[in-house]
Amino acid sequence: MLNYKQLHYFWKVAKAGSIARAAEQLRLAPQTISAQIGTLEEALGTELFRRAGRRLELTAAGQLTLSYADEIFQIGRELEETVRNRPGRSDMLLRVGVADVVPKSMAYHLLAPALTSAGRVRLICREDKLDRLFAELAIHKMDLVIADRPLPSELGVKGYSHALGRTPIAFYAVRPLVARYRKDFPRSLHGAPMLIPSDGATMRGALTRWFSEHQIEPRIVGEFDDTALMKVFGKAGAGIFPAPTVLADEIRSQYEAEIIGRADSVAAKYYAISIERKLTHPAVVAISEAAKTELFVDDKR
Protein backbone atom coordinates (compact mmCIF):
# COMPACT_ATOMS: atom_id res chain seq x y z
CA MET A 1 0.00 0.00 0.00
CA LEU A 2 1.19 3.52 -0.80
CA ASN A 3 2.88 5.23 2.15
CA TYR A 4 1.08 8.59 2.43
CA LYS A 5 3.65 10.07 4.79
CA GLN A 6 6.32 9.53 2.15
CA LEU A 7 3.98 10.99 -0.48
CA HIS A 8 3.47 14.01 1.76
CA TYR A 9 7.23 14.56 2.04
CA PHE A 10 7.54 14.31 -1.74
CA TRP A 11 4.66 16.78 -2.15
CA LYS A 12 6.24 19.31 0.23
CA VAL A 13 9.61 19.10 -1.54
CA ALA A 14 7.96 19.51 -4.95
CA LYS A 15 6.08 22.59 -3.71
CA ALA A 16 9.07 24.08 -1.87
CA GLY A 17 11.54 23.44 -4.69
CA SER A 18 14.22 21.92 -2.49
CA ILE A 19 14.70 19.41 0.29
CA ALA A 20 16.27 22.06 2.53
CA ARG A 21 13.24 24.39 2.36
CA ALA A 22 10.82 21.50 2.85
CA ALA A 23 12.86 20.33 5.84
CA GLU A 24 12.52 23.78 7.44
CA GLN A 25 8.75 23.77 6.91
CA LEU A 26 8.37 20.23 8.26
CA ARG A 27 10.96 20.72 11.03
CA LEU A 28 12.76 17.55 10.04
CA ALA A 29 16.34 16.76 9.07
CA PRO A 30 16.98 16.95 5.33
CA GLN A 31 18.46 13.46 5.49
CA THR A 32 15.17 12.08 6.85
CA ILE A 33 13.16 13.59 4.01
CA SER A 34 15.68 12.49 1.39
CA ALA A 35 15.59 8.92 2.68
CA GLN A 36 11.78 8.82 2.75
CA ILE A 37 11.54 10.10 -0.83
CA GLY A 38 14.10 7.49 -1.88
CA THR A 39 11.94 4.78 -0.32
CA LEU A 40 8.89 6.16 -2.16
CA GLU A 41 10.79 6.08 -5.47
CA GLU A 42 11.75 2.45 -4.81
CA ALA A 43 8.10 1.59 -4.10
CA LEU A 44 6.94 3.28 -7.31
CA GLY A 45 9.82 1.91 -9.34
CA THR A 46 10.85 5.24 -10.83
CA GLU A 47 12.73 8.45 -10.07
CA LEU A 48 10.57 11.44 -9.11
CA PHE A 49 13.29 14.12 -9.09
CA ARG A 50 16.40 14.87 -11.11
CA ARG A 51 19.26 17.23 -10.26
CA ALA A 52 19.52 20.45 -12.26
CA GLY A 53 22.55 22.19 -10.80
CA ARG A 54 21.68 22.92 -7.19
CA ARG A 55 17.98 22.57 -7.82
CA LEU A 56 15.66 19.60 -7.99
CA GLU A 57 13.40 19.18 -11.01
CA LEU A 58 10.46 16.84 -11.32
CA THR A 59 10.74 14.01 -13.80
CA ALA A 60 7.74 13.14 -15.97
CA ALA A 61 6.77 10.54 -13.37
CA GLY A 62 7.26 13.15 -10.66
CA GLN A 63 4.92 15.59 -12.41
CA LEU A 64 2.27 12.87 -12.71
CA THR A 65 2.71 11.93 -9.04
CA LEU A 66 2.44 15.59 -8.03
CA SER A 67 -0.90 15.98 -9.85
CA TYR A 68 -2.30 13.00 -7.94
CA ALA A 69 -0.80 14.23 -4.66
CA ASP A 70 -2.48 17.63 -5.13
CA GLU A 71 -5.87 15.91 -5.40
CA ILE A 72 -5.20 13.49 -2.54
CA PHE A 73 -4.25 16.22 -0.07
CA GLN A 74 -7.06 18.49 -1.27
CA ILE A 75 -9.54 15.72 -0.44
CA GLY A 76 -7.74 15.23 2.86
CA ARG A 77 -8.22 18.89 3.77
CA GLU A 78 -11.90 18.71 2.86
CA LEU A 79 -12.29 15.58 4.99
CA GLU A 80 -10.58 17.22 7.95
CA GLU A 81 -12.68 20.39 7.69
CA THR A 82 -15.91 18.44 7.30
CA VAL A 83 -15.30 16.14 10.26
CA ARG A 84 -13.91 18.91 12.46
CA ASN A 85 -16.87 21.19 11.84
CA ARG A 86 -19.57 18.60 12.42
CA PRO A 87 -19.79 18.45 16.24
CA GLY A 88 -22.43 20.84 17.51
CA ARG A 89 -22.97 22.41 14.10
CA SER A 90 -24.51 19.63 12.00
CA ASP A 91 -23.11 21.17 8.82
CA MET A 92 -23.60 19.13 5.67
CA LEU A 93 -21.11 19.29 2.81
CA LEU A 94 -22.65 19.32 -0.67
CA ARG A 95 -20.25 19.13 -3.62
CA VAL A 96 -22.01 20.06 -6.85
CA GLY A 97 -20.72 20.18 -10.39
CA VAL A 98 -22.61 22.47 -12.79
CA ALA A 99 -22.28 21.91 -16.52
CA ASP A 100 -20.91 25.04 -18.16
CA VAL A 101 -23.83 25.07 -20.61
CA VAL A 102 -26.39 25.47 -17.80
CA PRO A 103 -27.29 29.17 -17.41
CA LYS A 104 -25.81 30.55 -14.20
CA SER A 105 -29.13 32.02 -13.12
CA MET A 106 -30.81 28.65 -13.66
CA ALA A 107 -28.08 26.94 -11.64
CA TYR A 108 -28.73 29.39 -8.81
CA HIS A 109 -32.49 28.78 -8.83
CA LEU A 110 -31.93 25.01 -8.83
CA LEU A 111 -29.33 25.02 -6.03
CA ALA A 112 -30.71 27.77 -3.76
CA PRO A 113 -33.15 25.42 -1.95
CA ALA A 114 -30.17 23.42 -0.66
CA LEU A 115 -29.08 26.41 1.42
CA THR A 116 -32.50 26.78 3.01
CA SER A 117 -33.09 23.07 3.63
CA ALA A 118 -33.15 21.60 7.11
CA GLY A 119 -29.73 21.82 8.73
CA ARG A 120 -26.70 23.89 7.80
CA VAL A 121 -25.23 23.24 4.37
CA ARG A 122 -21.83 24.13 3.04
CA LEU A 123 -22.08 24.25 -0.75
CA ILE A 124 -18.99 23.63 -2.87
CA CYS A 125 -19.91 24.47 -6.45
CA ARG A 126 -17.72 23.87 -9.49
CA GLU A 127 -18.45 24.68 -13.14
CA ASP A 128 -16.83 22.58 -15.86
CA LYS A 129 -17.37 20.52 -19.00
CA LEU A 130 -19.78 17.64 -18.52
CA ASP A 131 -17.30 14.86 -19.29
CA ARG A 132 -14.93 16.07 -16.58
CA LEU A 133 -17.76 16.45 -14.07
CA PHE A 134 -19.02 12.94 -14.81
CA ALA A 135 -15.49 11.59 -14.26
CA GLU A 136 -15.33 13.27 -10.85
CA LEU A 137 -18.77 11.95 -9.97
CA ALA A 138 -17.55 8.44 -10.77
CA ILE A 139 -14.73 8.69 -8.21
CA HIS A 140 -17.05 10.26 -5.59
CA LYS A 141 -15.50 13.73 -5.76
CA MET A 142 -18.96 15.13 -6.53
CA ASP A 143 -22.26 14.45 -4.78
CA LEU A 144 -24.30 15.81 -7.65
CA VAL A 145 -23.99 17.12 -11.19
CA ILE A 146 -26.51 19.60 -12.63
CA ALA A 147 -26.76 19.06 -16.39
CA ASP A 148 -28.95 19.76 -19.40
CA ARG A 149 -28.96 16.10 -20.45
CA PRO A 150 -29.08 12.67 -18.79
CA LEU A 151 -25.93 10.70 -18.02
CA PRO A 152 -24.87 9.00 -21.31
CA SER A 153 -24.79 5.22 -20.93
CA GLU A 154 -21.77 4.90 -23.22
CA LEU A 155 -19.54 6.67 -20.69
CA GLY A 156 -19.60 3.62 -18.46
CA VAL A 157 -20.07 5.80 -15.36
CA LYS A 158 -22.35 4.31 -12.73
CA GLY A 159 -24.88 7.00 -11.93
CA TYR A 160 -28.53 7.90 -12.12
CA SER A 161 -30.27 10.81 -13.86
CA HIS A 162 -33.09 12.44 -11.90
CA ALA A 163 -35.25 14.75 -14.01
CA LEU A 164 -35.76 18.13 -12.32
CA GLY A 165 -38.06 19.70 -14.89
CA ARG A 166 -38.46 21.28 -18.29
CA THR A 167 -39.24 24.77 -19.49
CA PRO A 168 -40.12 26.02 -23.00
CA ILE A 169 -37.74 28.33 -24.80
CA ALA A 170 -38.63 31.88 -25.82
CA PHE A 171 -36.81 34.48 -27.90
CA TYR A 172 -35.92 37.72 -26.10
CA ALA A 173 -34.69 41.12 -27.23
CA VAL A 174 -34.55 44.75 -26.18
CA ARG A 175 -37.60 46.88 -27.02
CA PRO A 176 -36.47 48.27 -30.41
CA LEU A 177 -35.90 44.72 -31.68
CA VAL A 178 -39.14 43.48 -30.10
CA ALA A 179 -41.08 46.20 -31.94
CA ARG A 180 -39.45 45.16 -35.19
CA TYR A 181 -39.61 41.36 -34.94
CA ARG A 182 -42.62 40.47 -32.76
CA LYS A 183 -45.09 40.94 -35.59
CA ASP A 184 -45.44 37.87 -37.82
CA PHE A 185 -43.41 35.70 -35.41
CA PRO A 186 -41.80 33.24 -36.09
CA ARG A 187 -41.40 34.15 -39.80
CA SER A 188 -40.04 37.51 -38.67
CA LEU A 189 -36.91 35.73 -37.38
CA HIS A 190 -35.84 34.93 -40.96
CA GLY A 191 -32.70 37.02 -41.47
CA ALA A 192 -32.95 38.51 -37.96
CA PRO A 193 -29.74 39.00 -35.92
CA MET A 194 -29.49 36.03 -33.57
CA LEU A 195 -27.30 35.22 -30.56
CA ILE A 196 -27.22 31.49 -29.80
CA PRO A 197 -25.56 29.00 -27.44
CA SER A 198 -22.50 27.14 -28.70
CA ASP A 199 -22.58 23.63 -30.11
CA GLY A 200 -21.98 22.12 -26.66
CA ALA A 201 -25.47 23.04 -25.45
CA THR A 202 -28.38 20.65 -25.95
CA MET A 203 -30.56 23.66 -26.75
CA ARG A 204 -28.44 24.44 -29.84
CA GLY A 205 -29.47 21.27 -31.67
CA ALA A 206 -33.14 21.72 -30.75
CA LEU A 207 -33.09 25.30 -32.00
CA THR A 208 -31.45 24.29 -35.27
CA ARG A 209 -34.21 21.73 -35.88
CA TRP A 210 -36.90 24.28 -34.96
CA PHE A 211 -35.49 26.83 -37.43
CA SER A 212 -35.39 24.17 -40.13
CA GLU A 213 -38.99 23.06 -39.47
CA HIS A 214 -40.19 26.65 -39.80
CA GLN A 215 -37.93 27.33 -42.82
CA ILE A 216 -36.20 30.12 -40.94
CA GLU A 217 -32.58 31.15 -41.46
CA PRO A 218 -31.64 33.76 -38.88
CA ARG A 219 -28.41 35.74 -39.24
CA ILE A 220 -26.14 34.30 -36.54
CA VAL A 221 -24.12 37.19 -35.14
CA GLY A 222 -22.71 35.44 -32.08
CA GLU A 223 -22.23 32.00 -30.51
CA PHE A 224 -21.56 31.69 -26.79
CA ASP A 225 -20.38 29.06 -24.31
CA ASP A 226 -21.51 31.37 -21.51
CA THR A 227 -25.21 32.16 -21.80
CA ALA A 228 -24.84 35.00 -19.27
CA LEU A 229 -22.44 36.69 -21.69
CA MET A 230 -24.92 36.03 -24.51
CA LYS A 231 -27.59 37.90 -22.54
CA VAL A 232 -25.22 40.83 -21.94
CA PHE A 233 -24.80 41.15 -25.71
CA GLY A 234 -28.57 40.90 -26.03
CA LYS A 235 -29.03 43.72 -23.52
CA ALA A 236 -26.72 45.86 -25.64
CA GLY A 237 -29.01 45.28 -28.63
CA ALA A 238 -26.63 43.04 -30.57
CA GLY A 239 -29.36 40.55 -31.38
CA ILE A 240 -32.21 38.29 -30.31
CA PHE A 241 -31.38 35.47 -27.89
CA PRO A 242 -33.14 32.29 -26.70
CA ALA A 243 -33.64 31.52 -23.01
CA PRO A 244 -36.00 29.51 -20.78
CA THR A 245 -39.41 31.08 -20.22
CA VAL A 246 -39.14 30.30 -16.50
CA LEU A 247 -36.50 33.05 -16.34
CA ALA A 248 -38.65 35.65 -18.15
CA ASP A 249 -39.12 37.97 -15.15
CA GLU A 250 -35.43 37.88 -14.28
CA ILE A 251 -34.37 38.53 -17.89
CA ARG A 252 -36.79 41.45 -18.08
CA SER A 253 -35.41 43.11 -14.94
CA GLN A 254 -31.73 42.26 -15.35
CA TYR A 255 -31.27 42.46 -19.12
CA GLU A 256 -34.17 44.78 -20.07
CA ALA A 257 -35.33 42.24 -22.64
CA GLU A 258 -38.88 41.19 -23.52
CA ILE A 259 -40.26 38.04 -25.12
CA ILE A 260 -40.70 38.29 -28.89
CA GLY A 261 -42.30 34.87 -29.13
CA ARG A 262 -42.12 31.32 -27.77
CA ALA A 263 -40.87 28.11 -29.32
CA ASP A 264 -42.99 25.79 -27.22
CA SER A 265 -41.74 22.66 -28.97
CA VAL A 266 -38.19 23.51 -27.87
CA ALA A 267 -37.68 22.86 -24.18
CA ALA A 268 -34.69 23.18 -21.88
CA LYS A 269 -34.48 20.16 -19.60
CA TYR A 270 -32.45 19.89 -16.43
CA TYR A 271 -31.22 16.87 -14.51
CA ALA A 272 -29.65 16.11 -11.17
CA ILE A 273 -27.17 13.28 -11.73
CA SER A 274 -25.95 11.35 -8.73
CA ILE A 275 -24.48 7.98 -7.82
CA GLU A 276 -27.63 7.30 -5.80
CA ARG A 277 -30.57 5.51 -7.40
CA LYS A 278 -32.78 7.11 -4.75
CA LEU A 279 -31.88 10.59 -3.55
CA THR A 280 -31.14 10.61 0.18
CA HIS A 281 -28.89 13.62 0.88
CA PRO A 282 -31.29 16.13 2.52
CA ALA A 283 -29.95 19.06 0.50
CA VAL A 284 -30.23 17.13 -2.78
CA VAL A 285 -33.78 16.08 -1.91
CA ALA A 286 -34.59 19.76 -1.27
CA ILE A 287 -33.21 20.68 -4.71
CA SER A 288 -35.29 18.01 -6.45
CA GLU A 289 -38.53 18.78 -4.61
CA ALA A 290 -38.26 22.56 -5.06
CA ALA A 291 -37.60 22.18 -8.80
CA LYS A 292 -40.67 20.00 -9.27
CA THR A 293 -43.05 21.86 -6.97
CA GLU A 294 -41.95 25.49 -7.35
CA LEU A 295 -39.52 26.33 -10.14
CA PHE A 296 -41.01 24.51 -13.12
CA VAL A 297 -44.66 24.52 -12.03
CA ASP A 298 -47.18 26.31 -14.24
CA ASP A 299 -44.56 27.73 -16.61
CA LYS A 300 -47.09 29.39 -18.92
CA ARG A 301 -45.52 32.78 -19.42
Side-chain angles (χ1 to χ4, degrees):
M1 182 177 290
L2 183 67
N3 187 311
Y4 288 97
K5 180 174 285 189
Q6 294 169 357
L7 183 65
H8 186 251
Y9 291 160
F10 157 78
W11 184 64
K12 294 295 285 188
V13 171
K15 294 294 186 182
S18 74
I19 290 177
R21 279 197 291 270
E24 291 177 6
Q25 295 171 6
L26 293 168
R27 298 182 181 180
L28 294 171
Q31 297 86 347
T32 300
I33 295 177
S34 181
Q36 291 294 306
I37 291 176
T39 304
L40 177 63
E41 290 177 325
E42 289 179 11
L44 295 176
T46 185
E47 290 187 347
L48 301 176
F49 292 104
R50 70 168 69 91
R51 284 282 177 186
R54 295 184 178 181
R55 298 183 66 257
L56 287 176
E57 287 185 351
L58 289 168
T59 63
Q63 292 173 347
L64 179 62
T65 303
L66 178 61
S67 68
Y68 276 95
D70 283 337
E71 294 187 20
I72 287 169
F73 294 120
Q74 167 87 26
I75 293 172
R77 284 192 296 270
E78 291 178 7
L79 171 64
E80 183 180 8
E81 290 175 8
T82 302
V83 173
R84 181 177 293 167
N85 291 335
R86 284 184 68 83
R89 295 184 60 181
S90 66
D91 284 10
M92 291 181 291
L93 183 66
L94 180 62
R95 300 165 301 174
V96 180
V98 178
D100 57 1
V101 294
V102 174
K104 291 179 175 60
S105 55
M106 180 61 74
Y108 166 74
H109 287 298
L110 288 170
L111 295 176
L115 300 178
T116 56
S117 62
R120 294 174 53 157
V121 175
R122 179 184 172 191
L123 179 65
I124 297 177
C125 193
R126 182 182 166 200
E127 184 183 52
D128 207 339
K129 297 293 183 185
L130 263 180
D131 56 349
R132 288 195 284 266
L133 294 178
F134 288 152
E136 296 200 355
L137 182 70
I139 59 174
H140 298 244
K141 289 184 67 176
M142 293 285 175
D143 299 305
L144 189 72
V145 171
I146 300 296
D148 65 342
R149 68 196 70 182
L151 177 67
S153 58
E154 62 269 18
L155 285 182
V157 175
K158 184 178 180 181
Y160 301 93
S161 301
H162 308 275
L164 296 176
R166 67 190 299 279
T167 174
I169 295 301
F171 293 93
Y172 299 78
V174 291
R175 289 181 181 176
L177 293 179
V178 171
R180 180 175 177 182
Y181 293 104
R182 179 176 281 172
K183 186 178 180 181
D184 197 29
F185 177 89
R187 289 298 307 157
S188 60
L189 297 184
H190 188 77
M194 187 69 62
L195 309 170
I196 59 173
S198 63
D199 285 333
T202 302
M203 187 197 302
R204 174 66 178 268
L207 284 172
T208 300
R209 289 189 294 273
W210 187 85
F211 288 139
S212 178
E213 289 169 2
H214 289 81
Q215 299 182 330
I216 294 169
E217 291 186 18
R219 180 169 58 90
I220 307 299
V221 296
E223 302 181 36
F224 300 84
D225 286 334
D226 187 344
T227 56
L229 181 59
M230 178 181 72
K231 294 182 185 78
V232 171
F233 272 76
K235 181 179 180 179
I240 300 164
F241 61 90
T245 58
V246 75
L247 299 178
D249 292 340
E250 181 178 312
I251 291 172
R252 185 179 301 111
S253 62
Q254 187 172 349
Y255 298 100
E256 301 171 8
E258 304 284 343
I259 290 179
I260 292 176
R262 292 168 48 128
D264 287 328
S265 62
V266 180
K269 301 176 183 178
Y270 299 99
Y271 298 85
I273 300 171
S274 74
I275 57 174
E276 300 176 312
R277 183 187 297 273
K278 181 178 168 115
L279 299 178
T280 58
H281 193 301
V284 177
V285 172
I287 289 170
S288 177
E289 290 180 350
K292 294 174 181 177
T293 61
E294 299 174 25
L295 183 59
F296 295 113
V297 171
D298 195 29
D299 183 18
K300 302 297 184 184
R301 283 168 286 185

